[in-house]
Amino acid sequence: MILRAAAEVIGRVGPAKLTLAAVADEVGLVPGTLIQRFGSKRGLLLALAARSVHTPEELRERVRERHGSPLAALLAFAVESMSDAATPQSYANHLAFLCMDLTDPEFHEHALAVHRAQGRVIEALLDEAVAAGELAAGTGTAAVAATIQTAIAGAGLTWALERRGTLAERLEREIGSALAPHLPSTPAAGSPSSPA
């Protein structure tokens, strides 16, 4: 609950303006409680970064429960993994946190672990899509997963700059473009012809 609140505060004000008092207020605690638990703002942010490593696999389980189609689950995974960045401002604030991840060795370690976990989830969903006939047999899922990760990152930045439509719409379009060359000529029975 505290780490979820910290992510929400980051989305509103960015990591530089985040305070323990703001997070404490968000969850109805006194700042001293957070100081006892995390020691400092940096400690809280490191705990959030460490916790994020588990998020991709947890999210995969949730989207697979809701979607029979692996490609539909993949799109849901991408959209939900970016749900904290629903506005250009919140995207910019979370991007500022990523910039901190890239320059601070402790944060970078966690960010890289999250990136790798996301890649494993995407590749696993693509493997399921091949097995289900939603993607052509022989599709190189590792390469396609890397392309999709790049598409997700680029879609967020492009959407935040252009400010047309929703981030979910942009993700659907970019992921669909990345998958299009790998769709079978005849979709599998009961499967979507696209990841939508």
Side-chain angles (χ1 to χ4, degrees), residues 55-95:
T55 302
E57 190 55 46
E58 293 168 357
L59 181 54
R60 175 190 179 199
E61 291 174 12
R62 290 198 306 269
V63 298
R64 283 307 275 137
E65 286 175 6
R66 294 195 316 267
H67 299 280
S69 158
L71 292 185
L74 172 61
L75 179 60
F77 174 82
V79 169
E80 291 184 36
S81 69
M82 299 285 282
S83 63
D84 285 340
T87 67
Q89 183 62 48
S90 62
Y91 179 86
N93 288 331
H94 284 286
L95 185 59

Side-chain angles (χ1 to χ4, degrees), residues 48 54 83 92 97 137 143 186:
L48 176 59
H54 305 288
S83 63
F97 192 26
T186 305

Side-chain angles (χ1 to χ4, degrees), residues 45-59 77 80-82 84 94 97-98 101-102 106-123 145 149 152:
L45 292 175
L46 279 169
L48 176 59
R51 174 67 186 94
S52 297
V53 173
H54 305 288
T55 302
E57 190 55 46
E58 293 168 357
L59 181 54
F77 174 82
E80 291 184 36
S81 69
M82 299 285 282
D84 285 340
H94 284 286
F97 192 26
L98 175 61
D101 290 341
L102 296 176
E106 283 185 276
F107 283 101
H108 176 259
E109 180 182 342
H110 296 303
L112 182 58
V114 171
H115 173 75
R116 288 175 174 161
Q118 289 171 335
R120 287 190 299 272
V121 166
I122 291 168
E123 187 174 353
Q149 274 195 285
I152 291 169

Side-chain angles (χ1 to χ4, degrees), residues 124-167:
L125 289 170
L126 292 172
D127 287 339
E128 290 179 35
V130 171
E134 291 185 341
L135 292 177
T139 296
T141 55
V144 177
T147 299
I148 288 174
Q149 274 195 285
T150 302
I152 291 169
L157 184 57
T158 305
W159 166 79
L161 287 168
E162 294 178 354
R163 301 184 181 197
R164 289 197 310 257
T166 66
L167 179 53

